[in-house]
Amino acid sequence: MFDFKLIVDALIEGDESKLTALVQKALNQGVVAKKILYDGLIAGMDTVGEKMENDELFIPEVLMAAKAMSAGLEILKPLMVGEDIITRGKVVIGTVKGDLHDIGKNLVAMMLESAGLEVHNLGADISPDQFLAAINENKASLLCLSALLTTTMPMMKETIDLVVKNGIRDQVKIMVGGAPVTQDFADSIGADGYAPDAGSAVKLAKALLQLTF
Ligand code: B1M
């Protein structure tokens, strides 16, 4: 039985090499990637968040934890993304302007990819103009906006407003998510949907794109 607390602790310590070695060790012991993700990496990052809130961890330490988590995700990604992906829809995803949080958004991108969607991950701190250009360039049918700060949530509305202004709103479904985002907020800014986590984001994306398989 693998002890996930070891991964949680390595993440809190921001020890990238220890964390990646533990992820590999868990895999070698036959633990499935999804369990390592949820019981190890996400559980660890939840604790980091609590410690940040209580002033027990500060930005440099949180950055190291985030870097370690990304390295862990890189190991798990090929195991979670199906090898023979059938393209079932084109997605543009990014974190809105002013917001540098990208771990959750990357997780959503990874899960959408593993569900067979063609994902164009623009990164973090993406302006409404950049989102608009990417939708047009890739002929995307789904736009995914992520925000982790209450102060950057209004940027979601600005992005949707720009899509409307450019007359392409009926060509692209829009979903939003991120810790401070709610269904009420999504409704109030004219998004087509809101998902609280990466798993439900996949379900919602499929529903919005009317994918039946
Ligand atoms: Co920041 N940070 N941070 N941070 N950070 C939070 C978000 C915060 C809640 C911490 C706290 O105070 N408890 C707080 C926000 C408060 C608020 O506005 N409500 C906060 C703050 C205040 C800040 C700064 C302002 C701190 C400062 O400078 N004083 C600053 C802002 C910088 C900026 O963005 N301009 C800042 C900076 C940072 C770091 C750079 C150090 C780092 C980010 C590194 C990186 O992402 N590359 C960081 C981190 C790591 C966090 C916490 C600890 C962890 C976030 C995370 O990665 N979670 C976070 C505390 C917390 O969330 N508990 C915190 C793990 C991830 C898997 O979950 O991102 O929620 P999450 O994603 C989930 C769902 O939300 C959902 O699915 C994901 C997977 O299930 N989801 C979607 C996300 N996007 C979705 C899109 C969808 C659907 C679902 O559809 C499109």
Side-chain angles (χ1 to χ4, degrees), residues 38 41-42 45-50 52-54 58-60 62-63 65-67 69-70 93-94 98-105 107-108 143-152 156 175-180 193-201 204:
Y38 284 100
L41 298 180
I42 292 184
M45 198 43 101
D46 282 346
T47 312
V48 168
E50 282 161 25
M52 188 180 178
E53 209 164 343
N54 299 330
F58 298 95
I59 302 296
V62 179
L63 262 178
K67 194 165 167 279
M69 174 145 181
S70 298
I93 187 169
D99 199 323
L100 302 175
H101 297 85
D102 66 355
I103 296 173
K105 179 264 300 167
L107 205 51
V108 172
L143 172 64
C144 293
L145 302 174
S146 180
L148 262 285
L149 298 170
T150 42
T151 49
T152 56
M156 292 179 148
M175 60 188 261
V176 294
Y194 152 78
D197 54 55
S200 38
L204 177 63

